[in-house]
Amino acid sequence: TQSTWDINQDLMSLEAKLKENFSDDLKDVEDVEELDLDAQVKMEKLSVEDKKFLERFQGLVFLSMNSIGLVSLENFPNLPLLETLKLNDNKISSLEPLANCKSLDSISLENNPINDIKQLEPLKKLDNLITLWLEECPISKKENYFEDVFKALPKLEELDGKDQNG
């Protein structure tokens, strides 16, 4: 079985691209632990079909979807073992769909339109979240940024690579 994926072929639909990397019946997807879709698939949001397809990756602990054009996390898959999620360089402003990803301990949202501390509210539901990256987001330019984020997310240990003491 294959435990890591890096997709680097021509752009096409998510499922079509993933099918190229597995046998026709996709019997091995539950064994995949890492999935890297960075800049390889272009989509504004996941379709219901994408969600169902990704939910077959039940062993996934690391998912990277940097620079794929996401505007919404609607239909984000339920991946119970997912610990690390990278969503850098997209256009995501609502984080509500992540509230159900209970195993997440690290989220990277660099260079997304996160403007306000209120947008981080759904992350309070993630008891395991200890690392968050928001560099290049408009919120990171605000006065008292570090203090405000650590106050809003009291279980957080690291923000943009720094602890509460900087």
Side-chain angles (χ1 to χ4, degrees):
T1 61
Q2 197 171 8
S3 65
T4 303
W5 254 7
D6 183 16
I7 298 176
N8 55 12
Q9 300 162 8
D10 294 355
L11 296 177
M12 61 180 73
S13 75
L14 177 61
E15 187 170 359
K17 183 166 282 290
L18 296 181
K19 280 183 177 180
E20 286 189 353
N21 289 279
F22 281 98
S23 59
D24 291 339
D25 60 5
L26 293 167
K27 63 184 178 191
D28 298 332
V29 296
E30 68 276 358
D31 296 326
V32 174
E33 294 178 356
E34 298 183 15
L35 183 56
D36 185 341
L37 300 173
D38 291 359
Q40 302 304 316
V41 179
K42 294 294 181 194
M43 60 179 62
E44 290 188 356
K45 71 175 189 174
L46 295 168
S47 68
V48 172
E49 292 78 22
D50 292 333
K51 176 182 178 167
K52 287 178 184 175
F53 181 73
L54 286 172
E55 285 178 346
R56 293 177 61 189
F57 290 77
Q58 288 299 297
L60 213 57
V61 294
F62 174 92
L63 176 59
S64 187
M65 299 174 81
N66 296 327
S67 304
I68 67 170
L70 281 176
V71 173
S72 169
L73 291 174
E74 182 181 347
N75 295 319
F76 193 81
N78 178 16
L79 299 167
L81 301 180
L82 189 64
E83 296 173 359
T84 301
L85 178 61
K86 294 187 175 209
L87 295 167
N88 299 330
D89 303 312
N90 284 293
K91 295 176 175 76
I92 300 162
S93 59
S94 173
L95 305 177
E96 193 63 43
L98 298 182
N100 295 323
C101 299
K102 301 297 184 189
S103 294
L104 276 175
D105 62 23
S106 177
I107 303 174
S108 187
L109 291 160
E110 296 178 55
N111 196 26
N112 275 282
I114 309 292
N115 302 304
D116 192 275
I117 201 78
K118 292 176 186 164
Q119 290 171 275
L120 302 178
E121 283 285 319
L123 302 184
K124 285 183 179 181
K125 298 175 185 172
L126 301 177
D127 291 335
N128 295 319
L129 184 64
I130 57 171
T131 303
L132 181 63
W133 291 84
L134 295 170
E135 287 182 317
E136 305 293 323
C137 293
I139 192 174
S140 70
K141 310 285 189 268
K142 293 190 174 188
E143 191 174 339
N144 300 322
Y145 159 65
F146 273 91
E147 297 159 1
D148 291 346
V149 173
F150 278 114
K151 185 176 178 182
L153 301 170
K155 295 178 182 169
L156 200 64
E157 295 177 9
E158 186 178 322
L159 175 61
D160 299 339
K162 299 175 184 170
D163 65 17
Q164 290 189 45
N165 300 319

